[in-house]
Amino acid sequence: MKKILLTDDEPNIVKVVSARLKAHNYEVIPAYDGESALDAVYREKPDLILLDIMLPKLDGYKVCQKLKSDPKWKEVPIILFSAKTQAADKQTGREYGADAYIAKPFQPEQLLETIKYLLKE
Amino acid sequence: MKLGTKLVMAFLAMAVLVGCVGFSSFLELKRVLEPLTFDIPQGLRKIESTSHLDALAQKIRHYDQILTESARDYVYTGGRQYKYRYKEFEPRLDAAIREAIEKGDEEDKKIFSAMQQAKLTFVNLEYQALASMDKGMKPEAMQILETADYWRSKGEYRRGLEDYIERRGKQYGESLQLTSSQVDGAVMNTHHLVENAIQRLWVISTLALILGICLGLYVSRSILAPIRALKQGAEVIGKGDLNHSIEILSRDEIGHLASAFNDMTRKLKESYAGLEDKVLEKTSELGHKVEEIEEQNKILEMSKAAMLNVLEDLEHAKSEVDEERAKDEAILASIGDGMIATDPQGKIIKANKQAEVMLGVKAADMLGKTFSVVMAHEDEDGNAVPPEQSPIPLSLARGKKVLAIAYFVRKDGTRFPAAITVSPIVRENKIMGAIEIFRDISKEKEIDRMKTEFISLASHELRTPLTVIREGVSLVIDEILGPTTAEQKSFLSMALKDIDRLGRIINNLLDVSKIEAGKMEMKRVHVNLSDIAAGVAEAFAQHAKSKKLELKTRFPKKPVEMYVDKDKIVQVFTNLVGNAMKFTEQGSVEISIEDGEDMIICSVRDTGRGISEQDMERVFRKFQQFGGAASSGEKGTGLGLSIAKGIVEMHHGRIGVESIPGQGTRFFFSLPKDTPQKLFQDQLTRELRAAMNERSALCVVSFTLRDLRFGESAGSAREKTAGALLEDVIRAVTHSQADQVLREGESVFAVFSGADKKEIEKIASKIRTEFASALENAGKKGAKAGLDFRIANYPEDGATGEELLSLLSAA
């Protein structure tokens, strides 16, 4: 079973998205801020990371940049998952090395397809 | 004598003197020539002839030896070669002796004649010996050579030769002595001659020099003396002594000048005499005039009285001016904005009531001080603004209007943001002072902050719960949480549709508020408008097919190159085409672009139901929806056209609509065909103004491709590709930090607001490296290009867009 790290400061979002992912046979590790997200990555070694941008302590861009500049973790796909929908935000995400960008509110099919694609399933 | 003649004669005399010196040296040299050409060579000749006789004597001795040896060798060995040798040398000996007799003196002749006799005897004997030998009678031949006669004659011969040599030796010494004494004499003689010559030449030269100097002195005196006399005379006359006359006896030009001068003096004297008479005459006339003037004074007295009347009137007028001024004061006092006026040094000369109130300082306490002393200026973050960078000194220094925003700190520590306008007072190209008007913008700042906050809050805070709601509903519909009935599903699907609509409304609402708040960011890039429209058409192709509508496009053949915000123009097309599709049941939707003279006109035409006249004027307002909901598909938000209008207007374009109910509608928008350069410059100007307001820096960078080379051929299309690639690299490297990027031929310009030069230099170098690798990765084998960049920044390099850009283009 593939492990997905799900980071969002909104517990309800973590709850509903977890339900969806678990229903599709993914193991979900929740995290609620940037720093615990990084800890969770080092501890759990997830196969994919879903990352909100506006996070307490360390924002999603910084988490993304940190992981993508670390040779040990740069291969782990990151999906930025945010309520920011400006084209500029997406561009910034790409520049920090994110593999995909999904805007909230999201279409479940789009999320699942993107995950499948990035996990090469 | 004339001056010219004097000078010519002086020169002639000098020439004669020089000639004399030359001639006498010639004569002296000639005297030296004689001993050199005659005496010395004669001595030498004597030595030569003596030595010639010596050489002959040598020969005579030598030949004799050869003869004696040859005869003996023949007789003893019989070798014929000896006989031939003998016969060869015998005549030579003969000739040598004869020559000696000829050339020698008496004594020599006697000796050589005796030797000739002796020689005849022994040669005769030797011939006999040779003849005997020829006949084969060797003993006889040997005997002949042993005879007493033979040896005696040989002895005589040799004695003669020795005598000669002995005598010759003595004679030789004598002659050498003679000759050398002769040469010595000649040299001594020559030496004397040369010494004498030098002495004589010395005397002649000295005499010539003295004569020359005397002559020169005489000539110059004869010229200068009259000139000096003339000068002195002129000075005396100049001082007013007209009785002076210049006495010059010389009859040259100066003499003429002096007499002309004397003439002039005389005439002057005559005219002066006349003048004195006239002065006397005039003085008596003046006496009469004085009386007349007294008369006139009386009249003037009367005028003065009239003048006083006028002055009284003026006094009156002045009070009116005072009234005006009082009015002005009242206006100044009632202005809501603070106002201060300064002199050219920035010292305050006036402050209005409002300024006193806003700053909490009495006007009297401000006068004579600079504004930055009266009021501390800070930026938004509380950093003090250096006095020389505060608006008034800036405006005085540049002679230009300065707009700024600064925080004023009162004495009690409270501070408020002020919008400041400083205008220099310029009269006849001179700056006479400046006027600063400032306004408390605390409220505007607060509203602005709230607007920005609302937008970011809305974007996050509205979408987050929406996400939870949507996903919650989806989980139920998808039966992930348990089975659902068909009826439940249909209601939940309905909810889902409206949740999505709410999401779109939020997005559109945010766009509208951004446009209204002026927070919508524009990122203009080079695009082909036809490509954009074609892309939108393609996105709707499937939708059109499902509605059985024909989706047509009509674009100019040439690319429509524009400099616009790509994403936003896509949004305009999407909104218009989406609308058209929604309200058209059958027929077609056509997207077209027309390339007009100074604008591009884009249209979206449909064959739908049309818009009634009373609705037409409301179409671009917010939350307007017409004709009930669209018959099928998604519901609109009522904001699409309002956003389209906002975006078009941000591009300085116009949007409009025309419609015939029942037949169709045409939405169209125009985009001005401003050159990209102009748009870029406009944008730069706006950003500069913002930078000035915020007291932040701004950099403009130009990147220029140099020596662009592709693997194969190079062409404009390929260059464009490289330029576009460069543009992409710039965007990627700067994380879209560059606010504006303009591509112009082989150059790309980028604006970075809030960035200083050093920071930008680093970024530009990085762009250069990245571009090189991007070019390689682009799959163009062998592609190469240099990349130059130049940076101009505000405030160091200039304060207007033109200034900064001209710095960049000055290659």
Side-chain angles (χ1 to χ4, degrees):
Chain A
M1 205 155 48
K2 300 270 184 174
K3 258 191 220 176
I4 294 178
L5 174 67
L6 174 59
T7 319
D8 205 304
D9 60 331
E10 187 64 52
N12 285 341
I13 288 192
V14 174
K15 217 170 191 172
V16 289
V17 177
S18 296
R20 173 77 64 185
L21 295 177
K22 279 175 186 159
H24 285 84
N25 290 321
Y26 293 112
E27 188 187 338
V28 179
I29 301 137
Y32 301 95
D33 64 65
E35 279 176 12
S36 57
L38 280 177
D39 289 341
V41 171
Y42 303 145
R43 193 178 61 236
E44 302 281 347
K45 304 182 178 60
D47 298 295
L48 184 141
I49 302 163
L50 260 172
L51 195 61
D52 187 14
I53 293 172
M54 289 163 87
L55 284 174
K57 293 184 184 170
L58 200 65
D59 77 23
Y61 291 139
K62 296 224 176 74
V63 174
C64 185
Q65 193 177 24
K66 207 157 182 156
L67 292 173
K68 286 298 179 186
S69 56
D70 186 338
K72 202 172 169 192
W73 303 109
K74 68 172 190 196
E75 300 301 333
V76 180
I78 295 177
I79 299 175
L80 284 177
F81 183 55
S82 172
K84 286 185 155 194
T85 55
Q86 283 284 294
D89 299 324
K90 292 181 193 174
Q91 176 79 22
T92 312
R94 264 202 292 281
E95 284 152 13
Y96 281 114
D99 299 272
Y101 189 102
I102 286 176
K104 289 183 215 166
F106 64 98
Q107 308 279 335
E109 300 77 30
Q110 193 198 353
L111 176 67
L112 290 168
E113 272 167 28
T114 311
I115 292 173
K116 266 190 178 172
Y117 170 75
L118 289 174
L119 287 175
K120 301 191 177 87
E121 284 178 333
Chain B
M1 216 177 356
K2 294 206 167 184
L3 280 182
T5 327
K6 271 186 194 169
L7 286 174
V8 167
M9 290 200 44
F11 276 118
L12 275 177
M14 290 305 262
V16 168
L17 279 175
V18 170
C20 284
V21 172
F23 186 68
S24 58
S25 23
F26 171 74
L27 282 180
E28 295 298 336
L29 281 176
K30 215 169 170 197
R31 256 189 249 180
V32 178
L33 204 62
E34 199 180 341
L36 282 180
T37 50
F38 183 71
D39 291 352
I40 295 171
Q42 200 185 28
L44 289 176
R45 258 202 307 279
K46 224 170 201 170
I47 293 170
E48 194 187 87
S49 79
T50 316
S51 61
H52 183 72
L53 271 176
D54 277 352
L56 267 179
Q58 282 294 326
K59 255 189 206 168
I60 289 167
R61 186 206 291 257
H62 179 62
Y63 292 162
D64 165 54
Q65 264 170 9
I66 291 173
L67 287 187
T68 314
E69 277 162 20
S70 305
R72 199 165 281 270
D73 286 345
Y74 183 60
V75 169
Y76 285 89
T77 64
R80 292 214 167 255
Q81 74 268 27
Y82 301 119
K83 191 176 106 180
Y84 296 140
R85 191 169 157 79
Y86 184 89
K87 289 203 165 156
E88 189 192 338
F89 277 93
E90 192 275 325
R92 287 196 197 177
L93 178 64
D94 198 49
I97 294 171
R98 240 175 284 149
E99 196 187 342
I101 294 168
E102 201 179 310
K103 289 204 173 151
D105 54 18
E106 282 307 305
E107 197 72 13
D108 291 339
K109 271 183 184 143
K110 216 190 259 169
I111 293 171
F112 283 116
S113 300
M115 280 170 70
Q116 180 91 322
Q117 282 300 316
K119 183 228 160 202
L120 277 177
T121 313
F122 69 73
V123 165
N124 203 18
L125 285 169
E126 276 163 351
Y127 270 117
Q128 280 177 24
L130 295 182
S132 305
M133 198 56 200
D134 286 343
K135 286 177 200 149
M137 298 184 292
K138 192 177 173 180
E140 279 83 358
M142 283 167 77
Q143 215 169 357
I144 291 170
L145 292 183
E146 293 298 332
T147 55
D149 267 354
Y150 179 69
W151 284 110
R152 192 171 22 85
S153 59
K154 273 275 179 197
E156 271 168 25
Y157 177 83
R158 285 190 184 149
R159 251 192 317 279
L161 195 60
E162 268 154 31
D163 279 351
Y164 169 74
I165 287 168
E166 191 186 335
R167 189 177 160 266
R168 180 48 67 183
K170 219 166 88 190
Q171 210 176 28
Y172 188 65
E174 278 165 11
S175 111
L176 211 59
Q177 217 169 5
L178 178 80
T179 313
S180 72
S181 74
Q182 228 169 18
V183 171
D184 271 353
V187 169
M188 280 290 282
N189 198 13
T190 313
H191 188 74
H192 277 301
L193 279 175
V194 169
E195 233 166 39
N196 286 343
I198 287 171
Q199 256 172 23
R200 270 193 293 276
L201 276 178
W202 184 243
V203 173
I204 290 170
S205 302
T206 312
L207 278 176
L209 190 66
I210 292 164
L211 260 171
I213 289 171
C214 292
L215 194 65
L217 278 175
Y218 166 72
V219 170
S220 62
R221 255 189 75 82
S222 75
I223 293 172
L224 277 179
I227 289 180
R228 217 169 277 143
L230 189 62
K231 182 180 162 252
Q232 278 166 358
E235 273 169 4
V236 171
I237 294 163
K239 279 176 189 154
D241 183 2
L242 294 181
N243 293 319
H244 186 89
S245 111
I246 300 162
E247 278 173 42
I248 288 177
L249 300 173
S250 71
R251 284 188 298 163
D252 54 16
E253 288 89 336
I254 297 161
H256 296 316
L257 192 60
S259 65
F261 210 89
N262 288 337
D263 248 10
M264 188 190 77
T265 316
R266 191 168 40 75
K267 281 190 184 144
L268 257 177
K269 201 168 140 189
E270 278 167 17
S271 62
Y272 257 90
L275 197 66
E276 269 163 29
D277 288 347
K278 273 183 191 156
V279 168
L280 274 177
E281 199 178 309
K282 288 284 167 192
T283 313
S284 72
E285 268 176 36
L286 262 178
H288 297 296
K289 287 279 174 183
V290 167
E291 284 163 28
E292 278 174 36
I293 285 168
E294 274 167 5
E295 194 82 11
Q296 278 168 357
N297 263 355
K298 278 179 199 152
I299 298 168
L300 267 179
E301 205 54 42
M302 272 159 28
S303 320
K304 195 181 148 196
M307 193 72 131
L308 278 174
N309 284 340
V310 174
L311 276 178
E312 244 166 66
D313 288 349
L314 272 177
E315 198 67 28
H316 195 66
K318 194 180 156 245
S319 74
E320 268 173 32
V321 169
D322 283 345
E323 222 168 273
E324 270 314 296
R325 189 176 291 163
K327 262 189 223 164
D328 287 348
E329 293 276 354
I331 291 170
L332 282 181
S334 61
I335 288 176
D337 295 346
M339 187 223 82
I340 57 172
T342 76
D343 65 7
Q345 281 73 46
K347 301 260 192 306
I348 297 174
I349 52 176
K350 190 156 190 61
N352 73 347
K353 194 81 199 156
Q354 195 60 27
E356 290 183 305
V357 173
M358 284 165 74
L359 304 174
V361 183
K362 286 255 174 291
D365 295 334
M366 291 189 222
L367 299 182
K369 294 177 187 160
T370 59
F371 191 41
S372 45
V373 167
V374 173
M375 194 60 14
H377 291 45
E378 283 182 356
D379 65 10
E380 195 147 13
D381 304 325
N383 303 316
V385 176
E388 70 277 6
Q389 274 182 35
S390 64
I392 292 175
L394 277 183
S395 175
L396 286 172
R398 292 195 193 140
K400 284 181 188 162
K401 196 167 174 175
V402 171
L403 300 174
I405 287 178
Y407 282 78
F408 285 165
V409 188
R410 299 190 188 96
K411 287 264 151 16
D412 60 7
T414 56
R415 52 179 240 154
F416 67 96
I420 301 165
T421 310
V422 180
S423 313
I425 306 166
V426 182
R427 197 171 297 155
E428 285 160 7
N429 289 329
K430 255 179 84 180
I431 296 173
M432 314 294 290
I435 293 201
E436 169 163 333
I437 291 175
F438 53 93
R439 186 163 47 87
D440 185 343
I441 53 162
S442 304
K443 284 214 174 79
E444 281 106 316
K445 277 265 165 189
E446 180 62 13
I447 291 166
D448 208 46
R449 193 184 57 77
M450 278 164 69
K451 269 188 200 164
T452 318
E453 218 163 64
F454 168 73
I455 292 164
S456 78
L457 192 85
S459 75
H460 197 257
E461 299 305 309
L462 292 178
R463 283 201 195 101
T464 304
L466 204 62
T467 309
V468 178
I469 297 166
R470 195 194 189 284
E471 187 56 9
V473 173
S474 308
L475 286 170
V476 178
I477 295 178
D478 294 348
E479 298 185 320
I480 285 168
L481 307 170
T484 327
T485 66
E487 205 186 1
Q488 285 169 337
K489 263 190 197 170
S490 84
F491 274 92
L492 287 174
S493 299
M494 209 165 68
L496 208 58
K497 258 188 190 166
D498 269 12
I499 291 167
D500 285 344
R501 184 169 160 233
L502 190 56
R504 285 199 305 278
I505 292 175
I506 291 170
N507 287 346
N508 285 350
L509 203 54
L510 289 175
D511 282 346
V512 169
S513 27
K514 268 187 210 160
I515 289 168
E516 287 179 350
K519 298 273 170 199
M520 185 74 105
E521 284 169 13
M522 288 268 278
K523 288 199 185 295
R524 287 184 190 258
V525 289
H526 258 283
V527 292
N528 179 359
L529 219 51
S530 303
D531 287 349
I532 289 187
V536 172
E538 212 179 297
F540 278 98
Q542 194 57 41
H543 190 192
K545 214 173 165 187
S546 70
K547 277 189 85 172
K548 296 197 171 65
L549 289 174
E550 196 188 345
L551 188 58
K552 295 189 280 192
T553 56
R554 192 159 51 79
F555 305 139
K557 282 189 193 107
K558 270 201 305 189
V560 186
E561 295 269 353
M562 292 293 278
Y563 185 66
V564 296
D565 187 315
K566 188 179 167 188
D567 290 341
K568 297 206 169 59
I569 294 297
V570 167
Q571 201 178 348
V572 173
F573 273 114
T574 307
N575 289 357
L576 295 182
V577 176
N579 259 6
M581 296 287 252
K582 202 183 294 172
F583 296 104
T584 307
E585 298 310 321
Q586 56 179 9
S588 65
V589 171
E590 187 196 68
I591 308 171
S592 64
I593 295 175
E594 286 162 66
D595 197 343
E597 198 154 291
D598 47 12
M599 57 176 64
I600 303 290
I601 298 167
C602 307
S603 313
V604 177
R605 195 192 302 266
D606 65 48
T607 56
R609 67 174 83 142
I611 303 168
S612 69
E613 213 165 305
Q614 67 262 35
D615 287 343
M616 292 264 267
E617 55 188 83
R618 298 192 291 130
V619 287
F620 295 110
R621 291 198 205 151
K622 278 180 277 183
F623 302 112
Q624 298 295 333
Q625 284 181 310
F626 307 105
S631 54
S632 67
E634 312 166 326
K635 280 181 183 170
T637 62
L639 290 168
L641 288 176
S642 169
I643 291 168
K645 182 171 187 274
I647 292 173
V648 169
E649 284 172 0
M650 278 171 72
H651 285 88
H652 308 296
R654 291 280 168 270
I655 195 163
V657 61
E658 52 193 27
S659 180
I660 301 169
Q663 284 191 22
T665 307
R666 174 182 169 242
F667 277 96
F668 55 90
F669 63 95
S670 61
L671 293 174
K673 262 168 106 174
D674 282 337
T675 59
Q677 294 89 311
K678 184 180 176 295
L679 289 170
F680 183 76
Q681 201 166 326
D682 286 352
Q683 186 62 29
L684 181 59
T685 307
R686 274 194 290 280
E687 296 204 9
L688 269 171
R689 205 171 297 148
M692 280 181 203
N693 278 341
E694 288 160 20
R695 313 198 53 78
S696 67
L698 182 141
C699 277
V700 193
V701 189
S702 70
F703 296 91
T704 307
L705 290 170
R706 172 171 44 77
D707 304 331
L708 186 58
R709 254 196 304 281
F710 288 99
E712 316 91 68
S713 65
S716 62
R718 289 177 180 284
E719 273 165 30
K720 204 179 127 195
T721 323
L725 191 67
L726 175 59
E727 211 178 321
D728 291 345
V729 170
I730 292 171
R731 284 181 197 286
V733 170
T734 59
H735 300 307
S736 300
Q737 195 190 343
D739 298 306
Q740 294 296 320
V741 178
L742 168 80
R743 199 173 79 230
E744 191 190 331
E746 292 187 2
S747 297
V748 177
F749 294 87
V751 181
F752 297 85
S753 53
D756 69 16
K757 211 166 185 164
K758 272 200 187 127
E759 199 179 322
I760 297 307
E761 260 166 21
K762 268 188 218 154
I763 292 176
S765 311
K766 193 175 172 203
I767 286 171
R768 180 146 62 189
T769 339
E770 297 270 310
F771 176 68
S773 60
L775 203 59
E776 245 166 61
N777 294 341
K780 294 184 181 72
K781 220 177 165 208
K784 252 194 185 133
L787 188 61
D788 293 331
F789 62 82
R790 287 159 169 272
I791 302 173
N793 74 322
Y794 166 83
E796 283 84 359
D797 294 338
T800 68
E802 280 161 30
E803 270 178 84
L804 294 181
L805 289 179
S806 72
L807 267 177
L808 295 182
S809 53

